[in-house]
Amino acid sequence: MTSRDTVIQAFLAGQGWGDAQREKLAGDASVRRYVRLKRGGETALLMDCPPALPIGPFLEVGAMLLKLGLSAPRVLAADAAAGLALIEDFGDDTFTRLLERGHDEATLYILAVDTLIALHQRAAPAMPSALPVFDDNRALDGLFRMLDWYWPAIHGGPASPEVRDAFESAWRDVLPAMRRVPNSVALFDYHTDNLLLINRPGVSACGLIDFQDAVQAPVVYDLAMLLDNDRRAISDALRARLIDRYLAAFPALDHEIFMTAYTVKTAHYNTRLVGTFARLLRRDGKPGYQRFMPRVWVLIERHIAHPALAPVADWYRRYLPPQDRRVLAKED
């Protein structure tokens, strides 16, 4: 056994799960690992984070969601210093898997949107001040991944100061349009892979996971990620129906201002993904995410066509024209 195995075994033994059967679950882009534990008729999940990656945010955001009446996994035990937590098991019925098995698409997406409505309504009276604020500097940090990782992959060297300055200037001109809607809690990775259907009433039927990066951000943040993400396309008609459903719950929001903010957020998120997926390939040896790149480029091209994104569209035309927007190969 490695020293890490010893720490894990001691933690589980202390909680009465030392002899449980263990089943490793498929990982994601992060360094967290999950193991399903089975003991008699009970199950739980072990979340294993490198000690350098604090689990405090997961514990704190999960507690907040539970307090708001939403379904985050209950924490059965935790050792924050060791990066270990024993949490409730919501099962395997992610929205993605259910949709692949033919579950009604509109029903699941309505549940996801209604959960966001409930989150934003319930969090509004007492916005958790401890959550980081998704300000323009934080937004730019994510955007610069494109120049730090994708640009060298296709050009063989770093982006010039001219390219970087023009990139930052374009986005600083555009990002304020995203802030013309109110802030609320954004769970950051709100998409069908991270939502599970569980046997509970109302919005509590939507199990929430992977929320440790939650921030205070414009209310369009999670909605845009749900409806216009790299993983799965939905019809224009369903998207419009779901946005109208959200706006009906917040009649003070102006439709045009909201949709401009939504468009900026979608262009931002997908530009960030270009760099994130290049980093996963080149630094972490994870080429699988490149399969999402054709859709990422489609979403970027669609949303930078909005007049509010004209400075960003001009940057793309000058520095990253269509012939340079591609899927990376392992050798890039």
Side-chain angles (χ1 to χ4, degrees):
M1 294 177 68
T2 66
S3 59
R4 185 63 176 169
D5 291 334
T6 302
V7 170
I8 290 171
Q9 181 59 31
F11 172 73
L12 293 177
Q15 305 304 323
W17 288 84
D19 295 329
Q21 292 180 322
R22 304 184 191 185
E23 174 192 351
K24 291 183 180 179
L25 302 183
D28 57 13
S30 77
V31 294
R32 292 181 300 274
R33 298 187 305 155
Y34 291 89
V35 178
R36 174 168 288 130
L37 307 173
K38 297 181 180 180
R39 182 184 65 181
E42 296 179 281
T43 67
L45 294 183
L46 171 69
M47 183 172 70
D48 176 12
C49 298
L53 182 69
I55 64 170
F58 177 87
L59 302 177
E60 293 160 8
V61 176
M64 175 198 71
L65 294 171
L66 289 170
K67 187 176 181 181
L68 295 175
L70 300 175
S71 290
R74 291 179 298 110
V75 177
L76 309 177
D79 183 339
L84 298 172
L86 189 64
I87 64 175
E88 183 179 7
D89 182 7
F90 282 162
D92 296 316
D93 284 339
T94 65
F95 284 18
T96 298
R97 291 191 180 106
L98 291 171
L99 289 163
E100 289 171 351
R101 299 202 300 261
H103 200 286
D104 184 69
E105 180 182 55
T107 299
L108 290 178
Y109 275 90
I110 287 171
L111 174 58
V113 170
D114 286 353
T115 301
L116 281 182
I117 290 170
L119 172 62
H120 295 165
Q121 288 175 334
R122 298 171 190 179
M127 170 70 75
S129 58
L131 289 181
V133 176
F134 187 77
D135 57 17
D136 286 357
N137 288 333
R138 190 179 178 107
L140 282 163
D141 282 345
L143 288 166
F144 269 114
R145 290 181 193 173
M146 170 188 268
L147 298 185
D148 293 338
W149 293 95
Y150 181 79
W151 185 280
I154 63 169
H155 291 293
S160 69
E162 175 195 354
V163 169
R164 295 181 73 88
D165 289 348
F167 184 81
E168 179 173 353
S169 177
W171 278 104
R172 285 199 182 277
D173 284 348
V174 164
L175 287 170
M178 186 173 63
R179 308 202 179 285
R180 295 184 65 195
V181 296
N183 270 9
S184 189
V185 176
L187 300 183
F188 203 83
D189 283 311
Y190 196 80
H191 53 73
T192 56
D193 287 354
N194 290 333
L195 306 175
L196 294 99
L197 186 63
I198 55 181
N199 187 24
R200 295 178 186 175
V203 294
S204 63
C206 185
L208 304 170
I209 60 172
D210 203 11
F211 44 69
Q212 60 281 335
D213 295 322
V215 290
Q216 299 180 52
V219 292
V220 294
Y221 195 111
D222 284 343
L223 189 67
M225 187 171 296
L226 174 69
L227 305 183
D228 272 302
N229 67 69
D230 54 297
R231 309 296 176 97
R232 189 175 190 278
I234 61 173
S235 70
D236 291 345
L238 178 58
R239 183 187 306 103
R241 177 184 172 191
L242 294 166
I243 291 172
D244 287 347
R245 187 179 184 91
Y246 181 90
L247 286 171
F250 300 97
L253 291 174
D254 179 88
H255 185 275
E256 183 176 351
I257 290 173
F258 184 89
M259 289 310 302
T260 298
Y262 178 102
T263 299
V264 171
K265 176 56 206 165
T266 304
H268 163 272
Y269 173 65
N270 284 282
T271 295
R272 172 178 168 264
L273 283 185
V274 173
T276 299
F277 291 165
R279 185 175 70 179
L280 285 165
L281 171 68
R282 305 192 80 200
R283 186 190 72 183
D284 303 329
K286 295 181 177 180
Y289 293 88
Q290 288 298 310
R291 71 186 187 275
F292 300 126
M293 283 305 302
R295 175 158 168 77
V296 168
W297 287 123
V298 166
L299 288 167
I300 289 172
E301 290 164 7
R302 178 189 305 163
H303 288 278
I304 64 174
H306 190 288
L309 280 123
V312 171
D314 182 62
W315 183 90
Y316 268 104
R317 280 192 297 270
R318 293 172 60 194
Y319 298 110
L320 204 69
Q323 62 267 27
D324 289 335
R325 305 171 195 172
R326 57 185 175 87
V327 176
L328 296 179
K330 288 183 180 180
E331 58 270 17
D332 280 317

